[in-house]
């Protein structure tokens, strides 16, 4: 394990920012190495992405339905890119906690947003990497020659999640619906018991183990000897950097959201809060009580929000007069033990996607990694810096190495900005794109863990036409 890793993280000066016209010491695009070779034959590009403000669940978005958030993200994307809806050939949209009335939310959101009936849409779900899956599904469809222009995105709405009747009550209601006579219905009614009314409440827990993700994060932090102090320090870092990015106007992926039937317009994320370390250090453990280290302050919070992005072939972008931000170069999905290694997706995905792309850790100018918990992030960093872990669990000769933390989540992350499960992948991608432009970098790496012990790694390259923020 790296003894200086966390000290470096804590000491990192969060007030230093890089102007978009400053050339970093590592590499400027004007003197960059040759562009990475395209593997699809299509030179697939990421044109741009948007998102609604990410809000704490139970706040301003609470009266809405999820497709209304998704609709606004889709409309906002069309406005920002200035292309007609008719140009889009397919929509892939993600969600995790599904609203049963709009099970194919991609289609319902597209219809609500005014896309032609002839534009197909389907919904994907892969926990916290659902909109990553939306993007890479789009890459596959374009690479296969099926389409040239695809919209991908995701939405999560935790203010109103489905709460089911108990199974006994559901069975009774279904049988009552089929009963033909009054006598049959009365017989069924006689079998009713008060405990049938106990609801089945949803939980952020693993079906295979029954363990909540927070409990897993606590065990992971303990396994890698990540202290409570280190976790709280990282949380302060995330919120501080997000607040700085917000104040400096860097979060240009946000589209204002006008609440229906009101004059209220929401323009920024509402979960960014820089609290003194002395205050958050007094919070009690949220999951493993009384001795755990994961708290409400060093965990991502339940969030409502939606995102959308536009991807297409480079040739099509030129035809439409668009200036893409990124080449979508490589991606990989990983899966590991969903109990002891539930949140280690970035550790497994990073070396795999780097090797596919022919790059090393030092080649990456921008890192955008999903922050589920402070302890999860710090455990991943320690695992990435461990030869022992690489050899014992990853069948690798040596560690992948520690990223340069001055390039890591510089605009905050899910801990501070928020984490609407299925919308985060697009947020990570557009922040990577905008940071590459502002920081004059070439390559970005996106990584995230997800429920089920899965994860994603993506390599993107700044497009030479990428200038506008």
């Amino acid at each position: 394990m790296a003894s200086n890793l966390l000290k470096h993280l804590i000491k990192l000066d969060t007030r230093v920012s890089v102007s978009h016209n400053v050339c970093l010491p590592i590499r400027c695009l004007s003197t960059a190495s040759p562009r990475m070779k395209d593997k699809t034959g299509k030179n697939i590009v990421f044109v741009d992405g948007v998102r609604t403000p990410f809000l704490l669940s139970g706040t301003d978005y609470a009266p809405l339905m999820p497709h209304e958030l998704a609709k606004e993200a889709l409309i906002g994307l069309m406005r920002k890119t200035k292309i007609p809806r008719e140009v889009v050939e397919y929509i892939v949209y993600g969600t995790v906690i599904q609203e049963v009335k709009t099970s194919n939310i991609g289609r319902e959101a597209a219809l609500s947003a005014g896309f032609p009936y002839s534009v197909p849409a389907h919904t994907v779900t892969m926990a916290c990497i659902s909109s990553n899956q939306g993007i890479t599904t789009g890459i596959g469809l374009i690479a296969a020659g099926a389409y040239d222009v695809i919209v991908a995105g995701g939405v999560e709405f935790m203010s109103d999640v489905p709460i089911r009747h108990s199974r006994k009550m559901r069975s009774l209601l279904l049988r009552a619906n089929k009963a033909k006579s009054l006598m049959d219905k009365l017989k069924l009614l006689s079998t009713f018991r008060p405990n049938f009314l106990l609801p089945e409440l949803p939980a952020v827990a693993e079906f295979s183990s029954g363990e909540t993700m927070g409990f897993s994060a606590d065990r992971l932090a303990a396994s890698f000897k990540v202290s409570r102090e280190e976790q709280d320090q990282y949380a302060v870092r995330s919120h501080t950097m997000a607040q700085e990015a917000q104040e400096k106007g860097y979060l240009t992926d946000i589209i204002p959201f006008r609440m229906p039937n009101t004059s209220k317009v929401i323009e920024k994320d509402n979960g960014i809060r820089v609290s003194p370390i002395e205050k958050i250090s007094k919070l009690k453990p949220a999951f493993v009580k009384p001795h755990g280290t994961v708290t409400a302050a060093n965990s991502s919070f339940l969030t409502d929000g939606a995102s959308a992005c536009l991807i297409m072939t480079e040739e099509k972008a030129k035809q439409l007069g668009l200036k893409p931000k990124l080449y979508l170069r490589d991606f990989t999905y990983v899966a590991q033990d969903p109990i002891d290694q539930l949140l280690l997706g970035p550790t497994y995905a990073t070396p795999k996607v780097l090797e596919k792309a022919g790059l090393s850790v030092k080649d990456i100018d921008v890192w955008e990694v999903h922050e589920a918990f402070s302890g999860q992030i710090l455990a991943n960093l320690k695992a990435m810096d461990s030869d022992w872990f690489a050899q014992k669990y990853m069948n690798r000769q040596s560690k992948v190495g520690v990223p340069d933390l001055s390039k890591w989540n510089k605009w905050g992350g899910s801990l501070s900005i928020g984490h609407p499960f299925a919308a985060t992948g697009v947020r990570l991608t557009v922040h990577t794109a905008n940071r590459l432009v502002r920081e004059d970098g070439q390559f970005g790496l996106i990584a995230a863990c997800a429920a089920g012990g899965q994860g994603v790694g993506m390599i993107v390259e700044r497009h030479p036409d990428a200038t506008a923020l």
Side-chain angles (χ1 to χ4, degrees):
M1 305 293 178
S3 59
N4 295 323
L5 170 62
L6 301 180
K7 291 180 181 178
H8 175 73
L9 178 67
I10 292 168
K11 290 179 181 178
L12 185 62
D13 184 358
T14 61
R15 294 298 177 185
V16 175
S17 61
V18 181
S19 171
H20 70 279
N21 59 1
V22 174
C23 189
L24 295 184
I26 295 176
R27 172 178 53 240
C28 287
L29 284 186
S30 58
T31 58
S33 56
R35 197 178 74 197
M36 184 182 292
K37 185 179 179 181
D38 175 65
K39 295 179 180 178
T40 66
K42 299 283 186 178
N43 262 333
I44 300 169
V45 294
F46 176 95
V47 176
D48 211 342
V50 302
R51 62 184 177 92
T52 67
F54 286 178
L55 302 189
L56 290 153
S57 296
T59 58
D60 286 324
Y61 291 153
L64 304 178
M65 288 184 69
H67 76 280
E68 293 178 280
L69 287 176
K71 164 191 167 183
E72 291 303 317
L74 293 172
I75 292 173
L77 179 66
M78 295 297 98
R79 286 176 179 161
K80 189 170 187 180
T81 56
K82 296 184 171 74
I83 69 165
R85 290 166 176 77
E86 293 76 15
V87 171
V88 176
E89 298 172 291
Y90 201 94
I91 296 171
V92 190
Y93 218 74
T95 197
V96 180
I97 310 297
Q98 290 193 352
E99 161 60 55
V100 294
K101 292 181 179 179
T102 55
S103 57
N104 184 1
I105 197 167
R107 176 64 170 168
E108 303 305 332
L111 293 174
S112 298
F115 282 84
Y117 298 147
S118 57
V119 178
H122 82 271
T123 300
V124 296
T125 186
M126 203 174 182
C128 302
I129 54 178
S130 293
S131 57
N132 299 89
Q133 181 60 251
I135 292 171
T136 59
T137 297
I139 291 173
L141 290 170
I142 294 172
Y147 305 101
D148 288 327
V149 182
I150 287 180
V151 166
V155 63
E156 215 61 52
F157 191 71
M158 299 303 291
S159 287
D160 181 27
V161 296
I163 299 175
R164 302 202 301 178
H165 282 294
S166 68
R167 185 155 194 164
K168 290 179 180 179
M169 189 66 188
R170 298 200 306 270
S171 174
L172 179 62
L173 291 171
L174 289 170
R175 285 182 288 147
N177 189 52
K178 295 179 181 178
K180 295 182 178 180
S181 68
L182 177 61
M183 186 60 66
D184 289 338
K185 291 182 179 181
L186 289 173
K187 285 180 181 179
L188 283 171
L189 185 60
S190 69
T191 67
F192 171 78
R193 299 292 180 269
N195 65 357
F196 286 14
L197 295 176
L198 292 174
E200 288 184 1
L201 298 173
V204 183
E206 293 298 301
F207 181 81
S208 58
S209 67
E211 187 174 75
T212 66
M213 192 169 283
F215 196 98
S216 297
D218 227 323
R219 286 195 302 103
L220 185 67
S223 297
F224 282 89
K225 295 182 171 57
V226 179
S227 71
R228 166 70 182 272
E229 180 183 7
E230 290 168 334
Q231 293 176 62
D232 289 346
Q233 290 279 8
Y234 186 89
V236 170
R237 174 193 191 268
S238 182
H239 281 270
T240 301
M241 289 186 158
Q243 180 176 275
E244 179 182 346
Q246 189 178 69
E247 290 173 350
K248 291 187 175 183
Y250 291 171
L251 305 183
T252 56
D253 53 325
I254 295 176
I255 52 168
F257 186 96
R258 182 180 292 276
M259 291 295 292
N261 305 315
T262 73
S263 60
K264 185 169 186 177
V265 178
I266 300 164
E267 297 182 320
K268 63 181 183 178
D269 308 316
N270 73 355
I272 301 171
R273 298 172 184 173
V274 180
S275 300
I277 190 71
E278 297 78 16
K279 181 178 179 180
I280 67 174
S281 65
K282 294 178 182 178
L283 293 179
K284 294 182 179 180
F287 301 99
V288 179
K289 304 174 182 180
H291 302 299
T293 57
V294 175
T295 70
N298 58 41
S299 307
S300 58
F301 46 87
L302 295 179
T303 315
D304 301 333
S307 62
C309 68
L310 182 65
I311 66 174
M312 62 181 66
T313 62
E314 186 176 32
E315 181 181 359
K316 191 69 176 181
K318 289 179 179 178
Q319 290 175 8
L320 295 170
L322 297 170
K323 293 185 176 181
K325 292 190 172 181
L326 297 172
Y327 289 107
L328 297 169
R329 291 306 193 194
D330 256 304
F331 66 88
T332 190
Y333 290 93
V334 295
Q336 56 279 342
D337 177 0
I339 299 177
D340 292 330
Q341 298 186 14
L342 175 69
L343 302 171
L344 289 178
T347 297
Y348 282 85
T350 296
K352 192 172 179 180
V353 77
L354 284 173
E355 287 170 0
K356 285 185 69 179
L359 300 174
S360 71
V361 168
K362 293 180 180 179
D363 291 316
I364 303 301
D365 302 306
V366 166
W367 295 80
E368 283 290 333
V369 181
H370 165 49
E371 300 170 345
F373 304 88
S374 291
Q376 160 256 333
I377 284 288
L378 298 174
N380 272 277
L381 287 169
K382 287 192 172 188
M384 290 167 69
D385 198 41
S386 169
D387 285 323
W388 174 82
F389 187 87
Q391 292 162 8
K392 182 172 177 63
Y393 292 105
M394 300 176 66
N395 195 30
R396 299 182 60 83
Q397 296 274 324
S398 60
K399 63 189 180 185
V400 61
V402 183
D404 181 344
L405 295 177
S406 68
K407 304 174 184 178
W408 179 280
N409 291 9
K410 283 187 65 175
W411 293 353
S414 302
L415 286 170
S416 48
I417 293 170
H419 176 40
F421 304 139
T424 290
V426 168
R427 197 272 300 167
L428 292 169
T429 307
V430 73
H431 278 200
T432 303
N434 289 344
R435 281 187 55 203
L436 282 171
V437 173
R438 191 169 293 279
E439 297 165 26
D440 207 4
Q442 183 175 3
F443 294 114
L445 191 148
I446 299 154
C449 58
Q454 302 191 101
V456 68
M458 298 173 66
I459 296 289
V460 298
E461 183 178 9
R462 177 181 165 187
H463 194 278
D465 291 340
T467 54
L469 294 172

